[in-house]
Amino acid sequence: MTIGLESLSRWVDRVGVFVRVVVIDTAGSTPREAGAEMLVWQDGAAGTIGGGTLEHAATQTARKLLVQRRGKPLLSRQALGPGLGQCCGGAMTLLFETMDQAAVARLGAGIARDGCHARPVADGQPPRTQRVDRIVRQFQSLSGAEIQVIDGWAIEPAERRHVELWMFGAGHVGRAVVGILANLRQVRISWVDFEAGRFPARIPETVDRVVARHPQRIARYAPGGAWHLVFTHSHDLDLEICNALLGTEFAEIGLIGSSTKWKRFRKRLVALGHAPGKVDRIRCPIGRKSFGKEPWAIATGVAAELLESLNS
């Protein structure tokens, strides 16, 4: 995760003042990991830190901070035992930060060193600059750390490594896939189709809608290292998009279809001049055959494949 300044600014525009609740660290058995976050405003919330009594209590705390108009961050240690009525047995430290446009602007103008954001979250005079440098180095030595509070300063990455995912087709399968993958914070989705009316009326804020009369032409300009899923309404268009994508430096290409469709596509793509080895990097069929052929089943299989690849 990262501080996500652009995302926080969009949420302020959408819901007004809210509290960002972030899991700082955990001990023992806990429902979520360090870095999990949720946003809480007076009549709603987004994200999750694990659900259940813990999340309910954190939501209530966040809303009290909104009523009190408390601008200072709050650190809270929660034991997941009898006090909360949960049997996890572990403990979690939560950071509560009230967000409005001024707070987001302060974060953006704050200390950013070596790809990290640092800001004080404890009472007292801020440490000297040299001390912050040491804290940042200490944070970076913690391999894979999402966020830490060190000597009263919250440190987290200023840049998140996103996977660029381009999806071609806004039909039933495309909609089902977006419904799942839009929840993955490490994935940035560009959703492409030839007509605006083919998209649903409401699209998740994390998804960029791209209306292109000729999607195969757009495919040529996909960023290097992007992942692609191709499931348009037309086999001919699928083939043209695959042909265009093979001319890019892609990470993965997934194509919906049967084994018979893939045999025909492979033969035609090789005939178009693509090296067989590169053509064979296209995965077809996509998803998990055992899950079934319904759109939601295909989408679940695709999400499983993507998560396995990202976490391998």
Side-chain angles (χ1 to χ4, degrees):
M1 63 153 308
T2 68
I3 194 65
L5 296 177
E6 291 184 7
S7 176
L8 292 178
S9 182
R10 288 196 300 270
W11 275 106
V12 171
D13 290 340
R14 180 180 176 184
V15 304
V17 182
F18 62 86
V19 173
R20 181 185 184 226
V21 186
V22 188
V23 179
I24 297 296
D25 62 42
T26 64
S29 177
T30 58
R32 287 298 303 274
E33 70 287 352
E37 67 178 340
M38 68 176 182
L39 311 180
V40 180
W41 54 98
Q42 284 297 355
D43 57 356
T48 178
I49 57 171
T53 306
L54 166 73
E55 188 162 291
H56 177 73
T59 299
Q60 296 300 105
T61 298
R63 290 188 174 138
K64 287 180 182 178
L65 296 178
L66 290 171
V67 170
Q68 297 169 0
R69 297 185 179 275
R70 177 188 170 110
K72 292 182 179 180
L74 172 67
L75 281 169
S76 175
R77 183 75 169 174
Q78 299 286 336
L80 307 180
L84 285 177
Q86 295 192 227
C87 58
C88 296
M92 302 169 74
T93 300
L94 306 180
L95 172 64
F96 297 77
E97 292 182 286
T98 303
M99 294 290 163
D100 55 18
Q101 287 294 11
V104 174
R106 284 196 298 272
L107 284 172
I111 296 173
R113 288 188 173 81
D114 298 325
C116 295
H117 269 286
R119 69 274 188 198
V121 294
D123 294 333
Q125 295 297 319
R128 298 190 308 271
T129 300
Q130 294 88 336
R131 192 175 183 189
V132 177
D133 288 335
R134 177 187 60 78
I135 291 171
V136 169
R137 288 194 299 272
Q138 184 177 341
F139 172 78
Q140 291 175 325
S141 70
L142 303 172
S143 178
E146 296 278 3
I147 183 172
Q148 288 278 309
V149 171
I150 302 172
D151 290 351
W153 283 73
I155 316 289
E156 58 189 314
E159 297 289 340
R160 180 191 300 166
R161 185 183 70 83
H162 284 89
V163 170
E164 293 283 351
L165 175 63
W166 283 44
M167 294 179 26
F168 296 87
H172 295 301
V173 174
R175 294 179 183 216
V177 171
V178 165
I180 297 176
L181 296 187
N183 296 303
L184 301 180
R185 61 186 182 182
Q186 68 266 50
V187 178
R188 179 179 291 142
I189 299 175
S190 296
W191 195 6
V192 185
D193 212 318
F194 70 92
E195 188 177 81
R198 291 183 55 80
F199 292 93
R202 298 187 66 180
I203 296 176
E205 291 189 354
T206 54
V207 177
D208 293 327
R209 187 188 71 164
V210 181
V211 180
R213 190 174 186 85
H214 302 286
Q216 67 273 31
R217 296 180 184 176
I218 291 291
R220 299 172 187 168
Y221 300 101
W227 295 49
H228 303 278
L229 293 173
V230 183
F231 27 59
T232 77
H233 67 293
S234 163
H235 283 203
D236 288 341
L237 182 55
D238 285 351
L239 180 68
E240 291 186 58
I241 291 171
C242 287
N243 181 39
L245 292 176
L246 285 171
T248 70
E249 293 301 322
F250 60 90
E252 297 277 350
I253 299 175
L255 171 67
I256 194 169
S258 64
S259 298
T260 300
K261 174 181 176 179
W262 173 236
K263 289 178 182 178
R264 292 174 179 172
F265 268 48
R266 185 184 186 282
K267 183 177 180 179
R268 294 177 68 181
L269 290 167
V270 171
L272 287 169
H274 298 292
K278 192 167 188 180
V279 173
D280 288 340
R281 290 178 58 195
I282 297 176
R283 291 184 298 105
C284 181
I286 53 174
R288 301 288 175 83
K289 187 176 181 179
S290 61
F291 288 7
K293 296 182 179 180
E294 296 89 346
W296 64 266
I298 296 172
T300 302
V302 168
E305 290 177 342
L306 181 61
L307 283 171
E308 285 177 348
S309 296
L310 290 175
N311 295 323
S312 62

